[in-house]
């Protein structure tokens, strides 16, 4: 594994661990914890399906002997980004929701495109 990919994986793990306190943000952990868990499970199901049907491949991943998917992204990074989006739009109206969607979606898309270009993700077939 190259040093750059190792740094990306470690950064994702640190990001997830440092973000844990946001699960306990008001209004209630009863609302945010199930959302976090369901998001991780849905990510896992989609990722597992895409990898199994050979539409997506992760040449660099955490625990490669055990997982064919990107567990750091599926169970830490993406659920926290979804959680933060939901927390930030909890009391928002439609224009605020759409504006925040752009603030969350554009950087994540740019990051994923960057990862695909530099070898951490390989999309084997374009999905639209």
């Amino acid at each position: 594994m190259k040093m750059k990919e190792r740094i990306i994986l470690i950064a994702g793990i640190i990001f997830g661990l440092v973000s844990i306190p946001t699960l306990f943000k008001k209004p209630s952990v009863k609302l945010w914890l199930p959302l976090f868990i369901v998001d991780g499970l849905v990510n896992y199901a989609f990722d597992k399906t895409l990898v199994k049907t050979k539409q997506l491949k992760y040449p660099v991943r955490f625990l490669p002997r055990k997982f064919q998917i990107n567990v750091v992204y599926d169970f830490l990074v993406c659920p926290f980004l979804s959680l933060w989006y939901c927390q930030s739009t909890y009391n928002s109206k439609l224009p605020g929701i759409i504006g925040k969607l752009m603030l969350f979606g554009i950087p994540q898309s740019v990051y994923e495109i960057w990862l695909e270009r530099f070898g951490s993700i390989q999309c084997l077939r374009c999905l639209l």
Side-chain angles (χ1 to χ4, degrees), residues 12-91:
I13 293 168
I14 291 170
F15 170 83
L17 295 175
V18 169
S19 302
I20 288 175
T22 61
L23 284 172
F24 304 103
K25 187 177 178 183
K26 298 284 183 182
S28 172
V29 71
K30 293 177 187 174
L31 178 64
W32 303 129
L33 188 60
L35 174 71
F36 181 83
I37 292 169
V38 168
D39 190 86
L41 292 174
V42 169
N43 290 339
Y44 172 76
F46 277 112
D47 210 4
K48 185 81 169 169
T49 302
L50 290 172
V51 169
K52 191 178 240 184
T53 58
K54 297 184 179 174
Q55 295 178 36
L56 188 63
K57 180 182 176 187
Y58 297 103
V60 178
R61 58 193 181 277
F62 184 67
L63 300 174
R65 292 185 184 142
K66 292 190 177 220
F67 300 105
Q68 296 297 313
I69 63 169
N70 188 341
V71 293
V72 173
Y73 184 79
D74 289 346
F75 292 118
L76 289 176
V77 176
C78 193
F80 275 117
L81 291 173
S82 299
L83 179 77
W84 291 345
Y85 175 73
C86 291
Q87 287 175 343
S88 69
T89 60
Y90 188 70
N91 293 317

Side-chain angles (χ1 to χ4, degrees), residues 88-118:
S88 69
T89 60
Y90 188 70
N91 293 317
S92 297
K93 303 253 187 263
L94 185 60
I97 292 171
I98 293 172
K100 290 174 185 171
L101 180 62
M102 296 297 166
L103 289 174
F104 279 83
I106 291 172
Q108 186 172 359
S109 297
V110 168
Y111 176 69
E112 289 179 15
I113 290 167
W114 181 78
L115 286 176
E116 185 174 348
R117 283 207 176 140
F118 291 103

